[in-house]
Amino acid sequence: MGILDGKKALVTGVASNRSIAWGIAQALYSQGAEVALTYQNDKLKSRVQQCAEACGNGPTMPLDVTSGEDIANAFAELGKHWDGLDILVHAVGFAPREELEGSFVDNTTRDGWSLSQDISAYSFAALAKAARPMMQGRNASLLTLTYLGGERAVPNYNVMGPAKAALEASVRYMAQDLGAEGIRVNGISAGPVRTLAASGIGDFRRMLDYNAAAAPLKRNIGIDEIGNAGAFLASDLASGITGEILHVDCGFHAIALGGNEAG
Ligand code: NAD
Ligand code: 0WE
């Protein structure tokens, strides 16, 4: 008996076994959901297919969120396997690497801004639009992943900050728009996790250490814990929760002045 028995979930954003999306996919599966996975490109195809085999052998399909055609094709393909969809997980984000360091004002470009807003924020609403017909009449739920840098200025997060702010506002507007159809929309604001998207970020190790020292729980978050929170939000246990951003970060968002040990 799981809290997601009988539910069907589409999870985007799996790139490796460290991906937050993979933590969520595993938690959804272990709570009884059927899981379909998308992969950004052919390079990731076989890895994502292996992940699918490890969580119930559900359908997999290509999806680059910058392409409207890809989005349409992905849901057309999903419709061949399933007659409805209960859960959509959006775990996709991107900005040009060279804009994720140094001066926000000097290093942000019009193209970098547009691309990061397109991939990291607009795509959530675009996926919701495509998923909407399959989500009717089943108390469906949409979930995205965000970060504290959308609420507060975090060094080097730069152009991704406004992208996450737009994403979090979209959670509220999508919740307002879709609520009458019984569709809930929420976000998880996760603490830092060493994933592919974090690799190559200068000083990520130092940031992890700082977070662990300052966070009330005195450690960093795991993708299993983010997955469990996602399973809850996607389940009927959270039937009264929509338009919410839930911090799953060992409490880091709640403190100031770095706690007692940080420095
Ligand atoms: P990840 O690298 O494992 O996942 C990022 C995913 O985005 C990849 O699967 C990649 O294929 C996908 N992606 C990028 N551009 C895409 C496109 N055009 N079309 C389709 N997919 C595309 O890293 P992650 O940390 O698991 O990131 C998942 C989400 O979690 C992101 O939204 C990220 O901002 C968010 N997040 C990450 C952290 C962290 O510290 N790692 C913390 C909070 C929130
Ligand atoms: O949202 C993220 C990751 C965002 C991200 C990371 C990359 C690296 C590779 C977006 N685009 C790219 N583009 C690339 O080419 N996080 C919350 C993780 C993260 O990234 C940071 C962080 C944290 C935390 C960047 C700077 C400072 C802190």
Side-chain angles (χ1 to χ4, degrees):
M1 269 294 288
I3 62 174
L4 298 172
D5 282 346
K7 291 202 190 270
K8 293 180 166 63
L10 178 65
V11 178
T12 65
V14 175
S16 77
N17 59 4
R18 292 184 169 194
S19 291
I20 291 174
W22 177 231
I24 294 176
Q26 288 176 290
L28 299 181
Y29 178 62
S30 68
Q31 289 298 334
E34 284 178 71
V35 177
L37 301 178
T38 70
Y39 49 90
Q40 184 189 350
N41 51 44
D42 281 345
K43 234 172 56 194
L44 296 173
K45 179 175 180 172
S46 69
R47 205 183 297 169
V48 169
Q49 278 172 345
Q50 282 175 11
C51 288
E53 281 163 29
C55 61
N57 225 346
T60 62
M61 60 230 26
L63 173 59
D64 183 324
V65 297
T66 60
S67 157
E69 197 184 327
D70 262 31
I71 294 176
N73 288 341
F75 284 92
E77 176 65 23
L78 192 68
K80 293 183 194 162
H81 298 270
W82 294 345
D83 53 11
L85 182 65
D86 302 290
I87 299 165
L88 174 69
V89 178
H90 173 268
V92 168
F94 184 82
R97 167 153 318 164
E98 60 276 15
E99 299 195 18
L100 294 174
E101 60 192 359
S103 163
F104 170 69
V105 170
D106 290 348
N107 295 351
T108 301
T109 66
R110 195 183 298 273
D111 284 350
W113 176 282
S114 300
L115 186 65
S116 57
Q117 290 280 340
D118 184 17
I119 296 178
S120 313
Y122 170 70
S123 65
F124 188 39
L127 291 180
K129 190 193 287 199
R132 193 173 190 167
M134 288 184 79
M135 291 192 135
Q136 296 302 308
R138 44 200 306 147
N139 296 326
S141 160
L142 306 176
L143 181 68
T144 190
L145 272 301
T146 185
Y147 175 61
L148 189 63
E151 305 170 67
R152 302 218 276 275
V154 171
N156 301 314
Y157 200 60
N158 293 3
V159 72
M160 277 302 291
K164 291 303 195 190
L167 178 67
E168 292 179 21
S170 301
V171 167
R172 296 182 282 272
Y173 278 88
M174 290 162 64
Q176 170 174 254
D177 191 14
L178 300 173
E181 294 162 22
I183 302 173
R184 296 180 299 104
V185 187
N186 294 296
I188 288 177
S189 185
V193 180
R194 184 176 291 287
T195 60
L196 287 178
S199 70
I201 303 292
D203 268 352
F204 201 78
R205 177 80 254 161
R206 245 191 82 219
M207 198 172 60
L208 283 173
D209 291 347
Y210 180 89
N211 269 261
L217 294 181
K218 299 293 166 227
R219 61 177 177 81
N220 286 309
I221 201 73
I223 62 169
D224 55 331
E225 297 176 298
I226 301 168
N228 285 338
F232 162 69
L233 284 174
S235 80
D236 296 336
L237 291 177
S239 57
I241 302 177
T242 193
E244 182 68 298
I245 306 293
L246 180 63
H247 293 88
V248 182
D249 65 350
C250 297
F252 182 83
H253 71 285
I255 57 92
L257 301 180
N260 289 327
E261 267 94 18

